[in-house]
Amino acid sequence: MKTPNSRPVVLCLSGHDPSGGAGLQADIEALLAQGCHAAPTVTALTVQDTVDVADFRVLDRAWVLAQARAVMADLPVAAVKLGMLGSTEMVETVLELLQSLPGVPLVCDPVLRAGGGGSLGPDDVGYALRERLFPLSTIATPNLPEARILADLPNGTADECAERLLPHIEHLLITGGHGDEQEVHNRLYSRDGRREDFLCQRLPGSYHGSGCTLASALSGRLALGEGLPSAVRSALDYTWRTLRDAEAPGRGQYIPRRLPLDLD
Ligand code: PLP
């Protein structure tokens, strides 16, 4: 039953990762932790473990439209989170869906590769994201390697990539986990010239699903009505704690611990 105090609903259009580290499982856990309800719509299936991706399959357009439309006809969508789309056709499908959600905060996690380096879509997906979905997005959350691909600047700094990308999108959070600075520098750029840096302590190890965790937490914060840049700070703080408490259940990367175990 819908009650006036239902938790805000976030429509997630992401891939499924059977290792449970990234993709829709990350979205659901991170959104629960913010006090939101995730409506997980599958865009793609992947075959992967904590080491890397072996294969993926993008779902049929009709199936994705049907899933999302069922949610949109029933639940009050307070924000949308985009993860792995996997093909330029899926970018167009999502664009079509978003026409029915004007004004709803939209967080775009430009997923192009898995943490282990394996591809999660052909190279032209980055271009399609930038040209087609960035203009509708509230904010995108690339890490520096993703920002370089999106900006077409293979050796660009975060500032140079932001300059190239801001004509396409209003806000951009370029995360620094892959950088070589002593602390992690996460840089928030806005088209109106505002700029804010969020520093956090660099943690050892590499993580599977950290980008999904951050983008989902941010979409949840926006769904709750928190404004930027406060929502960015909250999402970064939450994500850092999930990495600090990460576990290594497999042979590969650490998986963020997104939910407390001591729920009583
Ligand atoms: N979405 C899916 C379905 C994935 O499998 C992955 C990585 O494997 C990602 C997104 C991106 O993960 P990360 O948050 O580590 O960038």
Side-chain angles (χ1 to χ4, degrees):
M1 190 174 75
K2 285 180 198 159
T3 59
N5 58 359
S6 294
R7 292 166 298 157
V9 175
V10 178
L11 171 65
C12 303
L13 291 145
S14 306
H16 174 60
D17 165 10
S19 80
L24 284 168
Q25 181 163 330
D27 296 352
I28 295 165
E29 292 177 357
L31 282 163
L32 279 175
Q34 311 312 308
C36 292
H37 174 79
T41 293
V42 189
T43 54
L45 300 174
T46 69
V47 177
Q48 65 182 306
D49 54 20
T50 59
V51 179
D52 209 353
V53 177
D55 205 356
F56 69 87
R57 174 171 295 195
V58 179
L59 254 65
D60 288 349
R61 165 191 158 77
W63 269 90
V64 176
L65 288 175
Q67 291 176 80
R69 285 185 176 145
V71 170
M72 287 155 56
D74 185 32
L75 300 172
V77 174
V80 179
K81 185 259 169 177
L82 304 181
M84 175 186 177
L85 301 184
S87 71
T88 54
E89 292 77 18
M90 190 53 62
V91 170
E92 294 302 318
T93 302
V94 168
L95 187 67
E96 191 178 324
L97 284 169
L98 294 173
Q99 310 298 334
S100 321
L101 294 168
V104 172
L106 171 59
V107 177
C108 178
D109 180 16
V111 175
L112 303 172
R113 307 227 187 301
S119 169
L120 289 168
D123 289 348
D124 50 2
V125 170
Y127 178 79
L129 286 173
R130 185 184 79 190
E131 298 295 315
R132 307 288 282 163
L133 292 178
F134 273 21
L136 295 182
S137 301
T138 310
I139 185 167
T141 57
N143 56 39
L144 184 56
E146 287 166 341
R148 285 175 171 151
I149 295 171
L150 292 161
D152 215 0
L153 292 172
N155 299 308
T157 62
D159 286 1
E160 288 162 350
C161 294
E163 198 181 328
R164 200 48 95 76
L165 294 173
L166 279 175
H168 300 275
I169 193 161
E170 210 171 331
H171 305 283
L172 188 66
L173 175 65
I174 302 185
T175 59
H178 294 73
D180 49 13
E181 293 136 325
Q182 203 184 350
E183 287 184 297
V184 176
H185 287 242
N186 302 295
R187 299 172 165 96
L188 175 64
Y189 302 88
S190 298
R191 194 184 281 155
D192 66 6
R194 274 180 301 155
R195 156 88 194 261
E196 194 159 342
D197 284 13
F198 302 86
L199 266 62
C200 59
Q201 185 196 332
R202 189 174 290 284
L203 295 162
S206 72
Y207 302 91
H208 186 60
S210 55
C212 308
T213 305
L214 172 66
S216 302
L218 178 53
S219 66
R221 290 283 158 178
L222 295 175
L224 288 160
E226 199 170 332
L228 289 174
S230 168
V232 167
R233 182 181 299 279
S234 305
L236 284 167
D237 286 351
Y238 166 74
T239 303
W240 187 84
R241 292 197 305 273
T242 71
L243 304 184
R244 180 199 59 195
D245 298 346
E247 46 200 347
R251 293 172 295 118
Q253 299 173 305
Y254 288 84
I255 290 185
R257 190 178 294 219
R258 287 171 284 250
L259 288 172
L261 291 179
D262 51 358
L263 290 171
D264 49 13

